[in-house]
Coordinates of all heavy atoms in Angstrom, one line a residue:
F1 N -54.7 -18.2 4.9 CA -53.2 -18.4 4.7 C -52.8 -17.9 3.3 O -51.7 -17.3 3.2 CB -52.8 -19.9 4.9 CG -51.5 -20.3 4.5 CD1 -50.3 -19.8 5.2 CD2 -51.3 -21.1 3.4 CE1 -49.1 -20.2 4.8 CE2 -50.0 -21.4 3.0 CZ -48.9 -20.9 3.6
E2 N -53.5 -18.3 2.3 CA -53.1 -17.9 1.0 C -53.1 -16.3 0.8 O -52.3 -15.8 0.1 CB -54.1 -18.5 0.0 CG -53.8 -20.0 -0.2 CD -54.8 -20.7 -1.2 OE1 -55.8 -20.2 -1.5 OE2 -54.4 -21.8 -1.5
K3 N -54.1 -15.7 1.4 CA -54.1 -14.2 1.4 C -52.8 -13.7 2.1 O -52.2 -12.7 1.6 CB -55.3 -13.7 2.2 CG -56.6 -13.9 1.4 CD -56.6 -13.1 0.0 CE -57.9 -13.2 -0.8 NZ -57.8 -12.5 -2.0
A4 N -52.4 -14.2 3.2 CA -51.2 -13.8 3.8 C -49.9 -14.1 2.9 O -49.1 -13.3 2.9 CB -51.0 -14.5 5.2
K5 N -50.0 -15.2 2.3 CA -48.9 -15.6 1.4 C -48.9 -14.6 0.2 O -47.8 -14.2 -0.3 CB -49.1 -17.0 0.9 CG -48.0 -17.6 0.1 CD -48.0 -19.1 -0.1 CE -49.2 -19.5 -0.9 NZ -49.1 -20.9 -1.2
H6 N -50.0 -14.2 -0.4 CA -50.0 -13.2 -1.4 C -49.4 -11.9 -1.0 O -48.6 -11.3 -1.7 CB -51.5 -12.9 -1.9 CG -52.1 -14.1 -2.4 ND1 -53.5 -14.1 -2.7 CD2 -51.7 -15.4 -2.7 CE1 -53.8 -15.4 -3.2 NE2 -52.8 -16.1 -3.2
T7 N -49.7 -11.5 0.2 CA -49.1 -10.3 0.8 C -47.6 -10.4 0.9 O -46.9 -9.5 0.6 CB -49.7 -9.9 2.2 OG1 -51.1 -10.0 2.1 CG2 -49.3 -8.6 2.7
E8 N -47.2 -11.6 1.3 CA -45.7 -11.9 1.4 C -45.1 -11.7 0.1 O -44.0 -11.0 0.0 CB -45.5 -13.2 2.0 CG -44.0 -13.6 2.1 CD -43.8 -15.1 2.3 OE1 -44.8 -15.9 2.3 OE2 -42.6 -15.4 2.6
G9 N -45.7 -12.4 -0.9 CA -45.1 -12.3 -2.3 C -45.0 -10.9 -2.8 O -44.0 -10.5 -3.4
L10 N -46.1 -10.2 -2.7 CA -46.1 -8.8 -3.2 C -45.1 -7.9 -2.5 O -44.4 -7.1 -3.1 CB -47.5 -8.2 -3.1 CG -48.5 -8.9 -4.0 CD1 -50.0 -8.6 -3.6 CD2 -48.4 -8.6 -5.5
R11 N -45.0 -8.1 -1.2 CA -44.0 -7.3 -0.4 C -42.6 -7.7 -0.8 O -41.7 -6.8 -0.9 CB -44.3 -7.5 1.1 CG -43.4 -6.6 2.1 CD -43.7 -5.2 1.9 NE -42.6 -4.5 1.1 CZ -42.7 -3.1 0.9 NH1 -43.7 -2.4 1.2 NH2 -41.7 -2.6 0.2
L12 N -42.3 -8.9 -0.9 CA -40.9 -9.4 -1.3 C -40.6 -8.8 -2.7 O -39.5 -8.4 -2.9 CB -40.9 -10.9 -1.4 CG -40.9 -11.7 -0.1 CD1 -41.0 -13.2 -0.4 CD2 -39.6 -11.4 0.6
W13 N -41.6 -8.7 -3.6 CA -41.3 -8.1 -4.9 C -41.0 -6.7 -4.8 O -40.0 -6.2 -5.3 CB -42.5 -8.3 -5.8 CG -42.3 -7.8 -7.2 CD1 -41.7 -8.5 -8.2 CD2 -42.6 -6.4 -7.7 NE1 -41.6 -7.7 -9.4 CE2 -42.1 -6.4 -9.1 CE3 -43.0 -5.3 -7.2 CZ2 -42.1 -5.3 -9.9 CZ3 -43.0 -4.2 -7.9 CH2 -42.6 -4.2 -9.3
M14 N -41.7 -5.9 -4.0 CA -41.5 -4.5 -3.8 C -40.1 -4.3 -3.1 O -39.4 -3.4 -3.6 CB -42.6 -3.9 -2.9 CG -43.9 -3.7 -3.6 SD -45.2 -2.8 -2.6 CE -45.7 -4.0 -1.5
D15 N -39.8 -5.2 -2.2 CA -38.4 -5.0 -1.6 C -37.3 -5.2 -2.6 O -36.3 -4.5 -2.6 CB -38.3 -6.0 -0.4 CG -39.2 -5.7 0.8 OD1 -39.7 -4.6 0.8 OD2 -39.4 -6.6 1.6
S16 N -37.6 -6.2 -3.5 CA -36.5 -6.6 -4.4 C -36.2 -5.5 -5.4 O -35.1 -5.4 -5.9 CB -36.9 -7.9 -5.1 OG -37.9 -7.7 -6.0
V17 N -37.3 -4.7 -5.8 CA -37.1 -3.7 -6.8 C -36.9 -2.3 -6.2 O -36.8 -1.3 -6.9 CB -38.3 -3.7 -7.8 CG1 -38.4 -5.0 -8.5 CG2 -39.5 -3.2 -7.1
G18 N -36.8 -2.2 -4.9 CA -36.5 -1.0 -4.2 C -37.7 -0.1 -4.0 O -37.6 1.2 -3.7
L19 N -38.9 -0.6 -4.0 CA -40.1 0.2 -3.7 C -40.4 0.1 -2.1 O -41.2 -0.6 -1.6 CB -41.4 -0.3 -4.3 CG -41.4 -0.1 -5.9 CD1 -42.7 -0.8 -6.4 CD2 -41.4 1.3 -6.2
T20 N -39.6 0.9 -1.4 CA -39.6 0.9 0.0 C -40.2 2.2 0.6 O -40.3 2.3 1.9 CB -38.2 0.7 0.6 OG1 -37.3 1.8 0.1 CG2 -37.6 -0.6 0.2
E21 N -40.6 3.1 -0.2 CA -41.3 4.4 0.3 C -42.7 4.0 0.7 O -43.2 2.9 0.4 CB -41.3 5.5 -0.7 CG -42.0 5.2 -2.0 CD -41.2 4.6 -3.1 OE1 -40.2 3.9 -2.8 OE2 -41.5 4.9 -4.3
D22 N -43.3 4.9 1.4 CA -44.7 4.8 1.9 C -45.6 4.9 0.6 O -45.8 5.9 0.0 CB -45.1 5.9 2.9 CG -46.5 5.7 3.4 OD1 -47.1 4.6 3.1 OD2 -46.9 6.5 4.2
L23 N -46.2 3.8 0.3 CA -47.2 3.8 -0.8 C -48.6 3.9 -0.5 O -49.5 3.8 -1.4 CB -46.9 2.5 -1.7 CG -45.5 2.2 -2.2 CD1 -45.5 0.9 -2.9 CD2 -45.1 3.3 -3.1
N24 N -48.9 4.1 0.8 CA -50.3 4.2 1.2 C -51.1 5.2 0.5 O -52.3 5.0 0.1 CB -50.4 4.5 2.7 CG -50.3 3.2 3.5 OD1 -51.2 2.4 3.6 ND2 -49.1 3.0 4.2
P25 N -50.5 6.4 0.2 CA -51.3 7.4 -0.6 C -51.8 7.0 -1.9 O -52.9 7.5 -2.4 CB -50.3 8.6 -0.7 CG -49.4 8.4 0.5 CD -49.2 6.9 0.6

């Protein structure tokens, strides 16, 4: 659950600062 929560937090941060492009590369 905590790993999923970490993913949520990091994704929320990216959304908030506009990092919405594909970062996989």
Side-chain angles (χ1 to χ4, degrees):
F1 166 68
E2 288 176 345
K3 288 296 183 182
K5 188 165 65 170
H6 299 172
T7 306
E8 176 193 10
L10 293 165
R11 183 64 256 180
L12 286 173
W13 185 88
M14 288 187 282
D15 293 343
S16 71
V17 302
L19 288 178
T20 56
E21 64 266 32
D22 183 7
L23 301 179
N24 277 285

